[in-house]
């Protein structure tokens, strides 16, 4: 048993609810590992869990991704050994810590060529881009040349998706909230960009770009503010993948709307459904590592915060001051 530092909340609410506390960390049980973190990822799901958008039982440790060194493995864990460099995106939360005991199934060995900071910044966001572009597909799939719309294209997930989509030959239309962020998305590989603050009707612009046809799929993590426009951006039989709600929760949708918009499909996917087995987690991570090591995808770690400054990190993330990925340095 060792005493470690971890960020916990006693009640859901503002960033100030997060406190750096001493916690006791013991030995891993069956199917578990103990990992010492070197860096922890910062993601919008952490905000949802902290502020109550996602109701959670408290007290609660926060954080869903990190990278570090395996210290001990429990019974039945064969794919990891003490001393392995490792990274993960995993439930339950608890990554905002110096060390933790956790389920081993979603933890994978981190290639030596990838730094701990990059590993911590890429797992949740990179695996999200993987399950969206490779597993959450419209009718008939996606082929080179197809148009897709990706909101928040200059965020951590968005910049990875821009690069990956380009590598797949897709024409990604990215939206962002400033000309500077649009430029970042364009540089990363977006074929077209839309500043939704200056160009309010992004759906009309999408139709213009696609010659009136619309896109085969929209990947929308913004939520309430973009939902209606996302529906209007789709071609018949298109797919809206609503995978987040940074601007607020999407209100209930009359099912007849999907018929009226062109027999479209609507899904609310989550990464952790895809990571439910060790085999799936490994296969997804292998594909992510391949595009990073191959140079098709570069991970931009733009903001670094000490673990104790996590409240500032959350405030900057919520105010959309960040670009690319952010990490908490342990």
């Amino acid at each position: 048993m060792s005493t470690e530092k971890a960020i916990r909340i006693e009640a859901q609410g503002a960033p100030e609810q997060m406190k750096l506390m001493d916690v006791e960390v013991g030995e891993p049980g069956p199917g578990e590992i103990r990992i010492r973190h070197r860096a922890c990822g910062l993601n919008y799901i952490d905000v949802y869990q902290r502020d109550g958008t996602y109701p959670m039982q408290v007290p609660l440790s926060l954080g869903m991704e990190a990278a570090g060194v395996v210290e001990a493995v429990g019974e039945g864990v064969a794919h990891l050994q003490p001393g392995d460099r490792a990274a993960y995106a995993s439930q339950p939360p608890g990554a905002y810590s110096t060390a933790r005991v956790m389920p081993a199934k979603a933890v994978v060995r981190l290639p030596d060529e990838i730094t701990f900071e990059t590993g911590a910044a890429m797992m949740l966001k990179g695996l999200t881009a993987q399950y969206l572009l490779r597993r959450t597909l419209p009718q008939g799939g996606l082929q080179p040349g197809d148009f897709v719309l990706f909101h928040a294209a200059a965020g951590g997930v968005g910049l990875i998706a821009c690069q990956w989509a380009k590598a797949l030959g897709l024409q990604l239309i990215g939206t962002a909230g400033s000309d500077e962020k649009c430029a970042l998305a364009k540089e990363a590989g977006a074929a077209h960009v839309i500043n939704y603050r200056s160009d309010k009707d992004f759906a009309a612009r999408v139709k213009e770009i696609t010659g009136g046809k619309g896109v085969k799929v929209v990947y929308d993590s913004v939520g309430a503010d973009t939902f209606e426009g996302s529906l209007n951006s789709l071609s018949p039989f298109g797919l809206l993948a609503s995978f987040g709600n940074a601007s607020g929760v999407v209100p209930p949708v009359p099912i007849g709307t999907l018929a009226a918009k062109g027999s479209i499909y609507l899904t609310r996917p989550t990464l952790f459904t895809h990571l439910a087995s060790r085999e799936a987690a490994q296969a997804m991570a292998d594909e992510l590592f391949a595009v990073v090591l191959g140079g098709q995808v570069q991970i931009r770690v733009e903001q670094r915060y000490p673990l104790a400054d996590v409240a500032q990190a959350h405030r900057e993330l919520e105010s959309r001051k960040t670009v690319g990925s952010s990490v908490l340095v342990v």
Side-chain angles (χ1 to χ4, degrees), residues 30-52:
E32 294 181 332
I33 65 162
R34 186 176 71 235
I35 183 169
R36 181 157 300 278
H37 294 144
R38 299 291 182 84
C40 312
L42 184 72
N43 297 282
Y44 227 98
I45 190 173
D46 308 342
V47 174
Y48 298 154
Q49 292 179 350
R50 187 213 76 223
D51 69 11

Side-chain angles (χ1 to χ4, degrees), residues 1-317:
M1 190 78 71
S2 62
T3 300
E4 305 292 343
K5 297 290 187 183
I7 299 295
R8 286 189 171 176
I9 59 173
E10 298 294 329
Q12 291 182 297
E16 291 70 30
Q17 292 287 347
M18 294 184 290
K19 305 296 182 185
L20 185 63
M21 300 181 178
D22 290 329
V23 298
E24 295 297 319
V25 177
E27 295 300 312
E32 294 181 332
I33 65 162
R34 186 176 71 235
I35 183 169
R36 181 157 300 278
H37 294 144
R38 299 291 182 84
C40 312
L42 184 72
N43 297 282
Y44 227 98
I45 190 173
D46 308 342
V47 174
Y48 298 154
Q49 292 179 350
R50 187 213 76 223
D51 69 11
T53 300
Y54 293 166
M56 306 286 288
Q57 186 174 352
V58 292
L60 173 69
S61 297
L62 292 173
M64 304 295 286
E65 72 174 340
V69 178
V70 177
E71 291 189 327
V73 302
E75 181 183 352
V77 176
H79 68 290
L80 295 166
Q81 299 295 327
D84 282 347
R85 302 171 77 252
Y88 65 85
S90 178
Q91 291 180 326
Y96 291 1
S97 60
T98 53
R100 69 183 294 200
V101 169
M102 62 176 296
K105 67 179 181 180
V107 184
V108 297
R109 282 200 297 265
L110 183 67
D112 291 340
E113 301 87 344
I114 299 176
T115 68
F116 288 117
E117 284 192 6
T118 300
M122 71 185 283
M123 293 302 291
L124 193 145
K125 290 172 279 290
L127 293 174
T128 296
Q130 195 277 345
Y131 91 75
L132 291 172
L133 292 173
R134 303 290 286 158
R135 293 168 172 248
T136 310
L137 302 175
Q139 187 181 69
L142 289 171
Q143 287 77 42
D146 284 343
F147 285 97
V148 303
L149 175 62
F150 207 103
H151 291 300
V157 176
L159 288 176
I160 295 172
C162 287
Q163 297 173 78
W164 207 327
K166 182 178 180 180
L168 293 170
L170 303 174
Q171 298 193 65
L172 184 144
I173 304 170
T175 72
S178 70
D179 289 342
E180 292 76 15
K181 288 188 174 184
C182 284
L184 286 173
K186 186 79 171 177
E187 180 185 353
H192 305 271
V193 290
I194 302 170
N195 183 338
Y196 62 79
R197 296 195 188 280
S198 59
D199 199 345
K200 302 292 185 182
D201 190 353
F202 67 81
R205 181 77 181 105
V206 167
K207 289 296 181 70
E208 180 183 333
I209 291 168
T210 60
K213 295 180 180 179
V215 298
K216 293 183 74 172
V217 60
V218 178
Y219 298 112
D220 189 342
S221 64
V222 177
D225 288 354
T226 53
F227 187 77
E228 184 65 26
S230 293
L231 291 176
N232 293 334
S233 298
L234 286 166
S235 60
F237 308 108
L239 169 68
L240 171 53
S242 177
F243 69 101
N245 33 255
S247 67
V249 176
V250 175
V253 182
I255 196 168
T257 300
L258 306 182
K261 299 289 186 183
S263 298
I264 61 176
Y265 296 80
L266 172 63
T267 184
R268 179 54 171 93
T270 174
L271 170 63
F272 298 108
T273 308
H274 290 274
L275 293 176
S277 71
R278 196 195 75 75
E279 292 77 13
Q282 189 67 60
M284 292 171 66
D286 286 346
E287 188 168 336
L288 172 61
F289 293 153
V291 294
V292 171
L293 293 173
Q296 295 97 331
V297 172
Q298 296 182 349
I299 307 299
R300 298 174 60 112
V301 182
E302 300 288 355
Q303 295 83 210
R304 296 168 175 83
Y305 308 88
L307 184 61
D309 291 347
V310 66
Q312 177 190 349
H314 271 230
R315 283 191 290 267
E316 292 185 4
L317 181 63

